[in-house]
Amino acid sequence: MLVTLALWFSLLTATVIISLTPGAGAINTMSNSLTVGWRRSFWGVVGQQIALLLHILIVAAGVGVLVANSPVLFNAIRWLGAAYLVYLGVRLIVSRPEPEAAMADTSGTSAWELLRRGFWVNLLNPKAVVFFLAFLPQFIRPDQPLWPQYLVLTATVVGIDMVVMWGFFASAAKPFQRFAGTVRGQRTLNTVFGVLFIVVAGVLLLVH
């Protein structure tokens, strides 16, 4: 058996805990759920999972070692990621609220835009590569074929993260949708989530 039940259960437990830890992905998911609705926020979650797949592929291919051991490359990606989060935050803060129950009209943001934004939010995080570089090998058995094990790990990590993002964080924002339907509510929530994006950007830069 490539991955034992005990090893897989350990991976499952660790993944649930990690996914439930608030970060840029969770903030992006909740913000999308409030602005375009719970159902359409799914596309942002899909974008985040595509980036997650790339992170795992980077680690599996050994490129993650290069990123982790190259301060210039690591810092370049780190600054790009922080800059993108600041951009999202500022855009939210200065955005003009729509009049009266804007949540009823969710056509303003396309599924492609949601997917693309979710993708970049997760991809431009070099710490994710370093994290997976330290995390995934704990659940790999070197004496067994590697790629089948990575497939099991990928399916587990991506599946759990998608359920947590859409099933928990996007759902957690649903009670505030009526509040988001007013001009005042939109302005307040946009400011809150905008500040959160900027705070996460600061953490990305300051925490080494």
Side-chain angles (χ1 to χ4, degrees), residues 28 32 35-37 39-47 91 105-118:
N28 184 62
N32 287 341
T35 54
V36 303
R39 290 185 179 181
R40 296 191 64 227
S41 69
F42 172 78
W43 294 109
V45 175
V46 171
R91 193 173 72 167
D105 178 13
T106 60
S107 60
T109 306
S110 67
W112 168 247
E113 184 178 346
L114 293 169
L115 188 147
R116 182 181 59 189
R117 188 166 62 201

Side-chain angles (χ1 to χ4, degrees), residues 30-199:
M30 294 183 72
S31 176
N32 287 341
S33 183
L34 285 170
T35 54
V36 303
W38 177 74
R39 290 185 179 181
R40 296 191 64 227
S41 69
F42 172 78
W43 294 109
V45 175
V46 171
Q48 292 172 197
Q49 302 316 307
I50 294 174
L52 200 61
L53 284 171
L54 281 181
H55 278 308
I56 295 174
L57 183 61
I58 287 171
V59 171
V63 181
V65 177
L66 175 63
V67 175
N69 293 330
S70 173
V72 174
L73 182 58
F74 180 87
N75 285 322
I77 299 174
R78 187 164 62 96
W79 278 95
L80 279 174
Y84 185 66
L85 292 177
V86 169
Y87 161 74
L88 291 179
V90 171
R91 193 173 72 167
L92 270 177
I93 293 171
V94 302
S95 63
R96 177 179 297 179
E98 297 292 334
E100 295 301 323
M103 290 298 297
D105 178 13
T106 60
S107 60
T109 306
S110 67
W112 168 247
E113 184 178 346
L114 293 169
L115 188 147
R116 182 181 59 189
R117 188 166 62 201
F119 173 78
W120 288 114
V121 163
N122 260 11
L123 186 68
L124 292 175
N125 184 1
K127 290 184 182 299
V129 176
V130 176
F131 170 77
F132 279 122
L133 195 62
F135 177 73
L136 292 183
Q138 310 301 320
F139 303 95
I140 293 292
R141 299 170 63 186
D143 58 321
Q144 298 290 335
L146 295 180
W147 282 108
Q149 294 185 76
Y150 272 110
L151 287 176
V152 173
L153 292 174
T154 300
T156 301
V157 171
V158 171
I160 291 298
D161 195 63
M162 177 167 283
V163 168
V164 169
M165 287 296 146
W166 200 43
F168 178 75
F169 286 111
S171 296
K174 290 175 73 174
F176 298 96
Q177 285 179 349
R178 181 175 298 179
F179 182 61
T182 67
V183 171
R184 181 180 179 182
Q186 290 176 56
R187 185 178 291 112
T188 300
L189 291 171
N190 284 346
T191 300
V192 169
F193 281 101
V195 170
L196 285 174
F197 271 124
I198 294 172
V199 168

